[in-house]
Amino acid sequence: MMSILVSAIQAVFLIAVSPLITGIVKKVKALMQHRRGADILQPYRDLAKLLRKDETVSESTSFLFRVIPFVCMAAMTLLAFMTPVFFTGILAPYGDIVTLVYLFTLYRFCMVLGGLEGGSVFGGMGSSREMMMSVLIEPALLLALMSMCVLSNGGTDISSIPTLLIALGSAAFCPALLLAAASFAITLVAENARIPFDNPATHLELTMIHEGMLLEYSGRGLALMELSSEMRLTIFMTMLGTMFFPWGISTTLEGLDLLVGLVAILVKLVVFAFLLAVLESSISKSRLFKTPNMLTASFVLALLAIISLYIL
């Protein structure tokens, strides 16, 4: 029961902190561009404002258009329950790598369907671009996670990976870990439609992918879509911090260990948010037809990680 309670607390923590991470990224980007920018709590105000507004729905949509935001939010909530945050003992054996990847795929499928449901040309354009990128994102994501399963010898159970990596100690620092982490970092940027793959701060039809699929949403539906998108970014950062660099996470239910794990994941999330903001402020968005090259590089890195485990 205590393990289930901690898993629920971890899920609530991810939901609550997700807008804050987005606010930190936006604030750091504004400072690097010599702008004052909004404070880091602005995403909470935006969500509260959207929740108070009514929805405007096109006559050409079906009931799926209203259902999709709830499905997206449900998928990210399930992922929040499955992801180790500051404690490794999550709801095993339900926290499986394959299930995790398919939940990300379900979220993407619903996003694409929502973009098409609106009947907008821009929505269809964003949906087609998203599907083009997903062909290379999903294999790279699955290979990067599977390489950690092989490295830790713990099967596909998510909760066993951090525990076994911590038990390996310094032996866990090997080329496979670095290659898999690099592949996952590229996938993180691509999956969340960040620069150089997409610019989340623009609504130009020639550049937008993620935003194009949300143009027809408003009010509560848009709030759920925005919150689930922020949760996806935070979950990816959390997975990078706990499954690839798990040092600091608690493996027991002791109060002090849980507190150390909480502080460790907060520090990691802030560092990752800062690095993402620096990356987006240092480079520009690439051309659409060059993005497969970067995604192929991510796939090759993950493949090299698995090969190195059997060679080295």
Side-chain angles (χ1 to χ4, degrees):
M1 289 300 296
M2 187 63 181
S3 177
I4 295 175
L5 178 61
V6 173
S7 298
I9 293 174
Q10 289 186 137
V12 172
F13 170 80
L14 281 180
I15 296 173
V17 82
S18 295
L20 178 63
I21 299 301
T22 302
I24 292 175
V25 173
K26 291 182 178 180
K27 185 65 175 181
V28 174
K29 287 177 64 177
L31 294 176
M32 294 192 66
Q33 296 168 6
H34 301 285
R35 298 186 290 109
R36 181 178 180 182
D39 63 78
I40 60 177
L41 299 180
Q42 185 60 41
Y44 292 102
R45 303 190 189 98
D46 294 339
L47 291 174
K49 179 177 66 176
L50 289 173
L51 288 172
R52 292 194 299 267
K53 290 188 174 182
D54 295 328
E55 295 182 82
T56 302
V57 181
S58 172
E59 294 180 353
S60 62
T61 60
S62 66
F63 73 97
L64 289 174
F65 188 81
R66 294 181 180 272
V67 173
I68 282 171
F70 295 95
V71 177
C72 290
M73 190 64 195
M76 289 299 105
T77 304
L78 284 175
L79 281 172
F81 272 97
M82 293 170 55
T83 305
V85 182
F86 50 83
F87 175 59
T88 57
I90 58 173
L91 300 178
Y94 304 103
D96 186 82
I97 291 291
V98 179
T99 305
L100 182 144
V101 173
Y102 273 100
L103 282 173
F104 278 125
T105 304
L106 173 64
Y107 176 84
R108 182 186 296 108
F109 172 77
C110 290
M111 287 277 293
V112 170
L113 187 60
L116 296 174
E117 272 287 317
S120 168
V121 176
F122 295 152
M125 186 183 301
S127 297
S128 64
R129 291 174 176 177
E130 178 72 17
M131 292 307 296
M132 181 194 72
M133 292 177 58
S134 68
V135 174
L136 291 173
I137 289 177
E138 291 175 13
L141 174 62
L142 187 58
L143 270 182
L145 294 175
M146 284 301 178
S147 63
M148 301 309 297
C149 296
V150 177
L151 177 61
S152 62
N153 294 319
T156 58
D157 182 16
I158 298 174
S159 61
S160 64
I161 295 176
T163 305
L164 295 174
L165 284 181
I166 293 173
L168 287 174
S170 59
F173 283 99
C174 61
L177 175 65
L178 300 179
L179 289 170
S183 173
F184 189 82
I186 297 174
T187 306
L188 183 154
V189 178
E191 179 78 13
N192 292 279
R194 314 294 300 196
I195 295 176
F197 298 96
D198 188 20
N199 187 355
T202 183
H203 283 82
L204 296 176
E205 63 273 12
L206 296 179
T207 62
M208 61 186 178
I209 299 176
H210 177 267
E211 295 299 323
M213 295 182 288
L214 302 182
L215 284 179
E216 296 299 318
Y217 282 98
S218 60
R220 292 180 292 273
L222 181 58
L224 291 176
M225 297 295 277
E226 291 287 355
L227 179 57
S228 61
S229 178
E230 293 166 354
M231 287 178 61
R232 180 172 62 166
L233 175 62
T234 306
I235 289 172
F236 261 92
M237 290 183 176
T238 304
M239 291 170 58
L240 181 61
T242 58
M243 297 178 63
F244 292 83
F245 304 102
W247 292 272
I249 191 171
S250 175
T251 57
T252 66
L253 288 172
E254 297 292 333
L256 181 59
D257 292 340
L258 292 175
L259 180 61
V260 171
L262 178 61
V263 173
I265 192 58
L266 282 174
V267 172
K268 291 176 184 178
L269 288 176
V270 172
V271 170
F272 292 152
F274 177 80
L275 293 177
L276 179 61
V278 171
L279 174 68
E280 293 192 332
S281 300
S282 303
I283 60 177
S284 59
K285 184 186 179 301
S286 65
R287 294 179 59 187
L288 177 65
F289 294 106
K290 285 188 176 181
T291 54
N293 298 336
M294 293 180 284
L295 293 173
T296 303
S298 174
F299 176 80
V300 171
L301 288 173
L303 185 61
L304 288 174
I306 290 192
I307 294 175
S308 67
L309 287 173
Y310 293 98
I311 295 178
L312 302 179

